[in-house]
Amino acid sequence: MTKEKLVLIGNGMAGIRTIEEILKRDPDRFEITVFGKESHPNYNRIALSSVLQGDSSVEDIILNDYDWYENNGIKLYTGDPVVKVDKRRKKIHSKNGIVCEYDHLIFATGSNPFMLPLPGADKEGVIAFRDIKDCETMIETSKHYKKAAVIGGGLLGLEAARGLLNLNMETEVIHIFDYLMERQLDAPASDMLRRDLEEQGMRFHMSKQTEMIKGKDRVEGLKFKDGSFLEADLVVMAVGIKPNIELASDTGLKTERAIVVNDYMETSAKDIYAVGECAEHNGIAYGLVAPLYEQGKVLADHLCSKETEGYHGSLMYTKLKVSGVDLFSAGQFQDEEDTRAIRVHDEFEGIYKKVVVKDNKVVGSVLYGDTSDSPRLLDMMKKGQDISDMNKAVILPSEDENSSGESPVISMEDDEQICDCNGVCKGEIVEAINNDGLSTVADVTKHTNAGRSCGGCKPLVSDLLSATLGDEAVSNQKEPMCGCTDLSHDEVSEAIKEKQLSFTREVMNVLGWESEEGCSKCRPAINYYLGLNKPEEYEDDHTSRFINERVHANIQNDGTYSVVPRMYGGVTDPDQLRKIADTADKYEVPMLKVTGGQRIDMLGVNKEDLPSIWKDLGMNSGYAYAKSIRTVKTCVGEDFCRFGTQDSIGMGIQIEKKFERLNTPHKVKMAVSACPRNCAESGIKDIGIVGVEGAWEMYVGGNGGVDLRGGDLFCKIETGEELLDTMSAFLQYYREDARYLERTSHWVERVGLDHIRSVILEDEEKRKQLIENMERALRARPKDPWAEVTENEAKQKELYEKKQLEVIQ
């Protein structure tokens, strides 16, 4: 049977959710092709703030990885937006020249950030906060500049500001209104939020209107209409979004504020549909995720010829966490002449609750600090429940002084929603727990989608698991490695050792992987654990490594790569510098930059030039791309510095040569300072060594990135030999005990410094075993990868040869 051709323009949350709903209803009906502007698979845009704040990586917020597209037979073109739609011939044309026919076409082009048309808005350092690239720009800017200004005191602006604070930038928020988040909060709740954020270090400029952005090429500050001026190295505009309808307009679809659709998400053109932020239904273009998913379900029903009542609009509500503060806002929350309100305001506890009532029905609510009553209030609003006979304790159960303190989920009806974003009700989750044997929150998310978007309902899901399974739930709380398995990192690693497994596919087969090929989360982890278990026997599976590790260079945002040669201890000589200069000239490398790890970074290199550059340099790889030992930074030490008490350069070089090319769960950075003045920044490294009179101090678990953490003093050691042994034992214990992609800073906090000391400093037998294991691992280290590639033509052709067409990822 010939499949109908379905093309989706837009690889975001609304469009892909529609595809997921279609696959649930009729998985074999369509031949599906997806075009996305960004060079990423579908990710959770709501969680961008957690990436900026350092709580998640980009990989953590991916909703559907590349394997999902492949496993469902979906052809995906990333970084390749559609630029033309030929309605008559039913074809689309992409920017990269792809022409694709369709029977059904879905517009899910989302929104663009609204940039204020201010003089100077085109200067360097003026950005929006909308996608992964914006996050990366802010993180990179924070490494070089200190002063940030965020224009917009709405949700997005405050999330950006919180992230910039985490990046150690002095952060000012400029808002044109006299209170924050005016679309979600009333004045009392907004005042509480502002006070809480000021205590976190955020500074506010209310009722302030920006007149122009000052600076030469790069932004230097903001000038306001009242004549005042604010210095800024970075300006983030977070003043709203506007539906992305340019292509729809060019196609001739009817547009007003967005693409006009009917109750079945049909546009003005036959067989063309629109969902998400780019769609306008009954004059409303929705920006929250729940309405967009509701639209996706209706469109899936319509396309799969299922009976549907159509889409009739959504109740506007949002439950979110702003800088650690829980908020809920729904419906008509401002006071009107014909409304009354129930108010609870506890300034000591930081709690504010307001329930707005009209004609004996709840029509709106604001909850601040405690949002546990939000599911009940939302259900009342959706059902239009008459509350004339209810007392306050029934409307707000959390205010019932005689309450048993049990979770509100216990008293919820089966048809009440727990996950508002994805429209998942209590009964649906309980049924899945019982019928599918679910035992963790991750299980529930995987089977029902509850908690998959903003994640605000996960505490309720956890409570529901406990209520449904009892004690069994407590013992089963664990985080699976990924969606391919229910096993945790610890369980997979232990099973590899116990069963002496040797290959990636063997692990997946023996441990019952749900996906035959695994995914981008589990394959690198399995590869690491296999190499850890049999270092001298295991042959590394390079196809399971991340792209930077596969090609031994860091990919940049423009698709070029960076080359960082090894310079032991940060020491170089005229011969090396001459080689770098000559090579840079020969290959027209656009930029050379000294890194924070005291190396020289050659930026802007084409992938096909990498092997030739490495050959001309004749230097070892600096491993700047790897989950491995990176650099050992040193100060000049006792030979040159009048304060130095130790030979920091000599010790740093010795350490780097001993541990270079060693695989670790995450990158490991080290430093050696010759005295407590700490010029090599030893206090914020994974392992930092500080020279004192007659001894070395060893610090561990430091982190100088977005998750800033000072290292803990681990021990004081008198000799260099003893120092190297202790470092061996510490690194090997980290390699064996930490989970893949767990930095030393997180591992130290998870297992505890005292515990690590007891293993390495007090248990002589265990320390000896760790050092022996480390020596085995060091003997099995790979050769320098750059030299290996330059001697291997087949690998050069496989990994570095320029392809004529490379658009599918």
Side-chain angles (χ1 to χ4, degrees):
M1 177 179 170
T2 303
K3 291 186 176 184
E4 299 168 55
K5 293 176 178 151
L6 174 63
V7 173
L8 171 65
I9 306 176
N11 192 28
M13 295 174 70
I16 294 299
R17 172 53 65 88
T18 305
I19 299 298
E20 289 178 334
E21 296 292 341
I22 288 170
L23 292 173
K24 280 185 197 172
R25 289 157 176 75
D26 200 343
D28 300 319
R29 177 164 179 163
F30 298 100
E31 177 186 312
I32 301 172
T33 305
V34 178
F35 289 83
K37 181 180 178 182
E38 292 186 72
S39 57
H40 305 277
N42 174 41
Y43 65 86
N44 186 351
R45 197 179 298 278
I46 300 171
L48 272 179
S49 56
S50 68
V51 174
L52 182 62
Q53 291 166 19
D55 297 330
S56 304
S57 67
V58 171
E59 287 75 21
D60 292 332
I61 66 170
I62 297 295
L63 291 172
N64 301 85
D65 62 17
Y66 290 115
D67 293 334
W68 176 84
Y69 294 88
E70 186 174 342
N71 294 338
N72 287 289
I74 298 170
K75 192 177 290 184
L76 171 66
Y77 296 91
T78 59
D80 189 14
V82 171
V83 294
K84 180 182 175 184
V85 176
D86 185 338
K87 287 187 297 184
R88 191 170 64 83
R89 296 180 177 83
K90 301 189 97 169
K91 292 181 179 178
I92 65 91
H93 299 254
S94 80
K95 185 178 179 182
N96 287 338
I98 305 293
V99 179
C100 186
E101 295 180 349
Y102 68 84
D103 297 308
H104 309 277
L105 178 64
I106 303 174
F107 273 72
T109 47
S111 292
N112 293 321
F114 181 72
M115 299 294 283
L116 294 172
L118 297 171
D122 57 345
K123 294 187 187 303
E124 183 185 354
V126 182
I127 63 171
F129 178 36
R130 182 65 182 162
D131 55 26
I132 288 174
K133 187 172 183 297
D134 294 328
C135 276
E136 292 172 341
T137 300
M138 282 188 256
I139 291 170
E140 185 60 28
T141 302
S142 71
K143 297 175 183 175
H144 311 284
Y145 299 95
K146 284 296 173 190
K147 297 179 185 297
V150 177
I151 301 179
L155 170 62
L156 205 59
L158 297 180
E159 286 185 334
R162 179 61 257 181
L164 291 166
L165 275 181
N166 282 21
L167 294 169
N168 290 325
M169 297 198 78
E170 299 168 16
T171 305
E172 317 270 349
V173 176
I174 297 96
H175 198 42
I176 195 169
F177 298 104
D178 57 359
Y179 68 86
L180 301 170
M181 290 185 63
E182 69 283 348
R183 291 188 179 181
Q184 290 87 17
L185 302 178
D186 62 358
S190 176
D191 287 343
M192 294 175 74
L193 176 64
R194 178 179 169 178
R195 284 198 296 272
D196 282 344
L197 295 179
E198 284 175 336
E199 287 180 4
Q200 295 179 24
M202 229 175 271
R203 293 192 287 261
F204 293 96
H205 303 263
M206 309 301 291
S207 304
K208 206 82 162 173
Q209 191 167 358
T210 308
E211 186 175 66
M212 65 166 48
I213 297 173
K214 304 280 286 185
K216 295 181 180 176
D217 296 329
R218 184 180 181 85
V219 59
E220 295 175 3
L222 300 175
K223 182 183 177 186
F224 301 113
K225 286 202 169 176
D226 62 8
S228 58
F229 179 78
L230 177 70
E231 288 186 20
D233 305 312
L234 173 72
V235 173
V236 179
M237 285 198 194
V239 293
I241 56 176
K242 56 181 180 181
N244 180 8
I245 57 173
E246 185 177 350
L247 178 64
S249 298
D250 293 344
T251 304
L253 304 185
K254 181 181 179 183
T255 61
E256 291 178 1
R257 185 184 172 202
I259 304 170
V260 177
V261 295
N262 63 15
D263 290 351
Y264 303 96
M265 313 315 295
E266 295 171 309
T267 69
S268 56
K270 182 175 170 43
D271 297 324
I272 298 181
Y273 312 84
V275 292
E277 292 172 341
C278 67
E280 177 181 330
H281 178 265
N282 281 345
I284 301 176
Y286 293 89
L288 300 173
V289 68
L292 312 188
Y293 286 175
E294 290 171 19
Q295 294 174 359
K297 287 181 179 178
V298 169
L299 179 53
D301 282 335
H302 182 69
L303 286 171
C304 295
S305 306
K306 304 288 183 186
E307 187 175 346
T308 173
E309 295 179 356
Y311 180 70
H312 300 292
S314 301
L315 175 65
M316 299 287 276
Y317 59 90
T318 182
K319 184 179 179 181
L320 38 91
K321 187 183 282 285
V322 180
S323 300
V325 180
D326 290 316
L327 300 174
F328 170 75
S329 169
Q332 180 186 334
F333 60 84
Q334 297 286 11
D335 296 313
E336 303 287 348
E337 286 187 2
D338 56 350
T339 63
R340 293 178 298 156
I342 301 169
R343 288 182 173 85
V344 176
H345 194 170
D346 185 340
E347 292 188 329
F348 293 97
E349 295 290 334
I351 291 173
Y352 175 77
K353 300 176 183 179
K354 176 182 178 183
V355 180
V356 181
V357 178
K358 180 179 179 181
D359 299 331
N360 290 324
K361 294 176 183 174
V362 176
V363 294
S365 176
V366 173
L367 304 177
Y368 183 95
D370 176 4
T371 59
S372 59
D373 294 323
S374 61
R376 173 165 296 278
L377 290 169
L378 193 57
D379 193 59
M380 287 178 175
M381 293 170 67
K382 286 183 175 176
K383 293 176 178 174
Q385 197 168 353
D386 190 325
I387 63 164
S388 54
D389 294 331
M390 296 182 184
N391 59 34
K392 188 181 79 172
V394 175
I395 298 170
L396 292 171
S398 62
E399 295 303 311
D400 184 359
E401 294 180 353
N402 298 316
S403 167
S404 61
E406 67 180 16
S407 169
V409 77
I410 308 299
S411 58
M412 288 172 66
E413 300 293 333
D414 281 351
D415 63 348
E416 289 186 43
Q417 280 191 185
I418 287 184
C419 178
D420 299 326
C421 296
N422 295 285
V424 187
C425 64
K426 175 184 173 181
E428 196 176 336
I429 295 174
V430 172
E431 185 179 349
I433 292 171
N434 291 327
N435 293 346
D436 299 324
L438 311 184
S439 59
T440 67
V441 174
D443 283 343
V444 174
T445 299
K446 182 178 174 183
H447 281 75
T448 68
N449 277 328
R452 196 178 176 209
S453 298
C454 78
C457 65
K458 286 186 177 179
L460 286 178
V461 174
S462 180
D463 290 346
L464 190 53
L465 270 166
S466 298
T468 308
L469 298 177
D471 294 340
E472 187 185 345
V474 177
S475 62
N476 281 330
Q477 292 301 318
K478 66 177 181 184
E479 192 70 26
M481 175 180 279
C482 65
C484 303
T485 178
D486 294 331
L487 299 175
S488 66
H489 277 263
D490 296 338
E491 289 171 329
V492 173
S493 177
E494 195 58 35
I496 287 173
K497 279 188 283 188
E498 279 185 7
K499 301 176 188 299
Q500 287 298 298
L501 305 177
S502 302
F503 304 99
T504 301
R505 284 189 179 278
E506 183 186 18
V507 172
M508 294 176 178
N509 287 334
V510 171
L511 301 184
W513 238 244
E514 294 183 18
S515 167
E516 187 178 343
E517 297 294 330
C519 69
S520 59
K521 287 185 177 178
C522 62
R523 287 185 66 95
I526 293 172
N527 187 47
Y528 172 77
Y529 294 133
L530 286 168
L532 179 69
N533 188 47
K534 295 181 178 178
E536 293 171 307
E537 303 161 30
Y538 179 65
E539 185 174 345
D540 186 72
D541 176 13
H542 79 276
T543 62
S544 290
R545 288 188 175 271
F546 294 118
I547 176 64
N548 289 347
E549 293 185 297
R550 287 205 300 274
V551 300
H552 303 290
N554 271 329
I555 190 168
Q556 306 296 303
N557 56 13
D558 62 353
T560 63
Y561 289 79
S562 75
V563 171
V564 183
R566 176 77 69 186
M567 290 179 178
Y568 296 101
V571 176
T572 186
D573 57 36
D575 185 47
Q576 284 186 345
L577 293 176
R578 206 169 285 118
K579 283 181 180 176
I580 292 172
D582 289 344
T583 306
D585 279 343
K586 179 177 178 181
Y587 293 93
E588 299 181 338
V589 176
M591 176 176 282
L592 300 180
K593 184 172 187 318
V594 177
T595 71
Q598 300 177 333
R599 306 296 189 264
I600 293 179
D601 196 348
M602 305 171 73
L603 291 155
V605 175
N606 295 320
K607 188 167 75 170
E608 59 270 24
D609 290 335
L610 288 171
S612 302
I613 286 182
W614 297 338
K615 186 175 182 179
D616 287 354
L617 284 172
M619 298 171 69
N620 290 339
S621 166
Y623 269 65
Y625 46 80
K627 307 290 180 282
S628 172
I629 302 298
R630 292 282 182 89
T631 58
V632 182
K633 187 175 182 178
T634 66
C635 67
V636 295
E638 64 179 2
D639 288 345
F640 297 93
C641 178
R642 58 198 174 98
F643 301 111
T645 61
Q646 297 280 5
D647 177 13
S648 53
I649 292 178
M651 179 53 72
I653 291 174
Q654 200 175 346
I655 292 171
E656 189 164 346
K657 287 192 172 179
K658 180 175 179 64
F659 297 112
E660 65 174 322
R661 306 195 305 280
L662 178 71
N663 286 324
T664 46
H666 210 302
K667 61 187 174 185
V668 171
K669 297 182 178 181
M670 298 192 272
V672 183
S673 299
C675 78
R677 285 175 176 77
N678 228 330
C679 291
E681 300 173 327
S682 300
I684 53 170
K685 300 298 182 187
D686 295 275
I687 299 180
I689 308 300
V690 177
V692 294
E693 283 296 336
W696 297 99
E697 289 180 343
M698 178 173 162
Y699 292 80
V700 299
N703 189 334
V706 292
D707 194 7
L708 186 65
R709 184 182 191 275
D712 298 311
L713 178 59
F714 188 64
C715 60
K716 191 172 180 179
I717 298 167
E718 292 187 356
T719 69
E721 184 179 359
E722 188 185 357
L723 174 63
L724 288 171
D725 279 350
T726 304
M727 291 179 70
S728 280
F730 177 85
L731 278 172
Q732 185 62 21
Y733 191 42
Y734 167 59
R735 295 178 75 234
E736 293 180 6
D737 191 68
R739 296 157 189 162
Y740 185 68
L741 295 186
E742 186 175 32
R743 289 293 297 267
T744 61
S745 53
H746 296 142
W747 175 64
V748 168
E749 289 192 351
R750 179 169 64 84
V751 303
L753 191 67
D754 290 341
H755 168 75
I756 301 172
R757 281 199 183 112
S758 71
V759 170
I760 294 171
L761 304 179
E762 298 168 16
D763 187 338
E764 290 186 12
E765 196 61 32
K766 180 65 176 176
R767 175 187 170 95
K768 183 181 174 184
Q769 184 62 56
L770 288 169
I771 293 172
E772 287 177 3
N773 291 349
M774 172 59 80
E775 290 303 313
R776 284 178 59 213
L778 292 176
R779 284 196 298 273
R781 279 177 297 176
K783 296 179 181 177
D784 177 71
W786 290 0
E788 191 177 7
V789 169
T790 55
E791 295 167 0
N792 189 329
E793 289 188 10
K795 189 163 279 188
Q796 289 178 36
K797 188 171 184 179
E798 175 194 350
L799 294 173
Y800 303 98
E801 190 173 83
K802 189 173 184 178
K803 306 292 190 297
Q804 291 303 311
L805 183 63
E806 193 174 6
V807 293
I808 302 176
Q809 294 193 25

